Amino acid sequence: MPLHAEQFFTTALPHQLDGSVIGGAFYAQAPDLGIRLRIDFYETIRQHTYGGLRLSVIHPDKGQLDAITLSFADHGTFHARDRRTGTRPGTSGHAVIRDFPHDEEHRPWQGGDFTALADVIHRYARIWAIPAPEPASRKAPRTTAPAPAPSRTQGTATRAR
């Protein structure tokens, strides 16, 4: 398969979902509900050029329940690669994967940072009761900043903004 979907979903995309790659898509399942999460590439207006991932929730009897697209541009996936290669925003090669003939050593997604996408995928999966880990940044309990102490010199407390 030209996009090497199995390698992408098992090595490049740092998701921690339990599932399988079939054809060009990754599938995970909610254990008790029978619904499935399908993740695949979505093609842009240009042939063989992919702008992100499409996530679909599928029920075995009712069909597709929900679908969203996650663009590489919106999640900064190829920001460093594009800056390094001089590709400017708004040009045809910005923040996309191109599936043109390439050698076996090169993967079209090389140079991408998929951590932000994986975080969104995990949050979306949890909404649909598909087991996914909490992001490390959300595991720590949230705390609020202490209220400012009253000012003794002016006689009033500073207001929090």
Side-chain angles (χ1 to χ4, degrees):
M1 168 161 249
L3 274 175
H4 305 282
E6 184 156 2
Q7 291 175 358
F8 174 80
F9 289 117
T10 58
T11 60
L13 184 64
H15 70 81
Q16 296 176 11
L17 301 173
D18 186 24
S20 301
V21 177
I22 301 170
F26 176 85
Y27 293 88
Q29 183 171 347
D32 300 330
L33 302 176
I35 59 174
R36 292 169 182 82
L37 173 64
R38 175 189 166 128
I39 306 171
D40 60 347
F41 296 98
Y42 78 83
E43 197 165 13
T44 66
I45 194 168
R46 292 185 171 86
Q47 186 178 19
H48 303 294
T49 303
Y50 302 89
L53 300 175
R54 177 181 28 249
L55 282 64
S56 305
V57 176
I58 304 165
H59 187 276
D61 298 325
K62 298 176 184 176
Q64 182 172 299
L65 301 177
D66 191 47
I68 62 168
T69 55
L70 305 175
S71 76
F72 296 138
D74 289 347
H75 294 87
T77 304
F78 293 110
H79 184 71
R81 178 199 71 180
D82 293 345
R83 189 174 55 232
R84 185 176 61 250
T85 61
T87 307
R88 295 182 325 271
T91 62
S92 65
H94 173 71
V96 296
I97 291 175
R98 289 191 188 136
D99 185 24
F100 297 123
H102 51 275
D103 60 34
E104 283 299 311
E105 297 299 316
H106 176 263
R107 298 295 180 249
W109 61 80
Q110 284 180 333
D113 177 7
F114 298 97
T115 52
L117 276 175
D119 180 43
V120 174
I121 290 168
H122 290 156
R123 286 188 288 157
Y124 186 76
R126 282 191 305 276
I127 289 170
W128 290 97
I130 296 169
E134 281 283 332
S137 62
R138 295 182 187 213
K139 287 182 182 175
R142 292 184 178 203
T143 60
T144 58
S151 169
R152 294 187 187 270
T153 58
Q154 296 178 6
T156 60
T158 55
R159 291 180 13 186
R161 294 184 184 196

